[in-house]
Amino acid sequence: MCCFGKSWMLPAILAAAATVLVGSHSPRLDEYKSGIVWPEPPVVQPGDATTPPSDAIVLFDGKDLSAFENGDKWLIENGYAQVRNGGITSKQAFGDCQLHLEFATPSKVVGDGQGRGNSGVYLMGKYEVQILDSYNNPTYFDGQCAAIYKQQPPTVNACRAPGEWQTYDIIFEAPRFDAAGKLTKPAYLTVIHNGVVVQNHFELPGGTSWDQPPHYEPHVEKLPLHIQDHGNPMRFRNIWIRENIQPLVGKKPE
Ligand code: MG
């Protein structure tokens, strides 16, 4: 009797062995390369829990709010800024960006719903990521913390308790308009709240307004950032922004 058992098994075994041998010994002569000539990605020294990356524009490092109009009105102490006497608007204008900021809602809980720990960060002064104390504080879902205001609730509620420091890492793609003012690309927002993705490349149907449905009004490619005073003593620290978020563009092969 054949050592391979039934004789019809032999060809199958030889074929399998040949496949393994060829597969494991053949050199890779056909590695895929796109041929695209890429510019070298710039070197950036990354930050850590308390420092920004080396290419960030620091808007608030705990000392002063001179990067903002009306910043001199806010109370600054112990490395944070507390809302007082109106919102603040960055002196510099921004379009596409990565924004980092930290905030704390008041430790002493006062009010409820939209009246409790309310502020907001307005990209380009028009597109609000809501800031609210949504820790055991029900309100309309597209108005709770980390909502795109009145457009999209956060995927989950990742709020920390009142008084605790929280982080927002926001990636914003500004809308584009042609010369006639027609929208050619909508705005997109990605929001990471305390390390949790709560908005994932959300396409905005327009500006976030309290009293109007969202719609676009044409504007330039860069506008100032605004942080809202909604009457609550909210605290902020470590605000920085990076503009270099566009994909590198390479040269395609001829
Ligand atoms: Mg708000």
Side-chain angles (χ1 to χ4, degrees), residues 108-132:
K108 187 179 169 208
V109 172
V110 176
D112 58 15
Q114 294 288 309
R116 176 172 148 187
N118 195 332
S119 179
V121 55
Y122 291 71
L123 285 304
M124 306 191 89
K126 295 175 177 296
Y127 308 103
E128 182 188 11
V129 178
Q130 173 69 305
I131 295 175
L132 191 74

Side-chain angles (χ1 to χ4, degrees), residues 57-68 75-77 79-82 236-240:
I57 298 165
V58 176
L59 296 176
F60 178 56
D61 65 358
K63 297 189 186 78
D64 68 71
L65 280 171
S66 58
F68 291 88
L75 170 69
I76 295 176
E77 60 181 13
Y80 63 76
Q82 186 170 303
F236 290 88
R237 68 180 185 188
N238 292 334
I239 307 173
W240 53 259

Side-chain angles (χ1 to χ4, degrees), residues 70-167:
N70 203 48
D72 56 333
K73 302 284 191 338
W74 285 21
L75 170 69
I76 295 176
E77 60 181 13
N78 303 323
Y80 63 76
Q82 186 170 303
V83 172
R84 190 172 63 182
N85 297 327
I88 58 173
T89 304
S90 67
K91 292 175 181 172
Q92 191 171 339
F94 303 99
D96 296 349
C97 64
Q98 172 190 356
L99 173 68
H100 173 89
L101 64 81
E102 298 172 26
F103 64 91
T105 62
S107 344
K108 187 179 169 208
V109 172
V110 176
D112 58 15
Q114 294 288 309
R116 176 172 148 187
N118 195 332
S119 179
V121 55
Y122 291 71
L123 285 304
M124 306 191 89
K126 295 175 177 296
Y127 308 103
E128 182 188 11
V129 178
Q130 173 69 305
I131 295 175
L132 191 74
D133 180 356
S134 290
Y135 190 86
N136 296 327
N137 178 34
T139 185
Y140 46 96
F141 299 134
D142 56 7
Q144 73 177 63
C145 194
I148 312 300
Y149 189 66
K150 291 199 175 160
Q151 295 186 10
Q152 181 68 32
T155 308
V156 295
N157 180 343
C159 282
R160 295 195 201 281
E164 292 187 22
W165 283 102
Q166 311 193 47
T167 58

Side-chain angles (χ1 to χ4, degrees), residues 25 33 96 192 216 233 248 251:
H25 289 280
K33 296 256 181 147
D96 296 349
I192 300 172
Y216 280 105
L248 288 178
K251 288 201 179 82

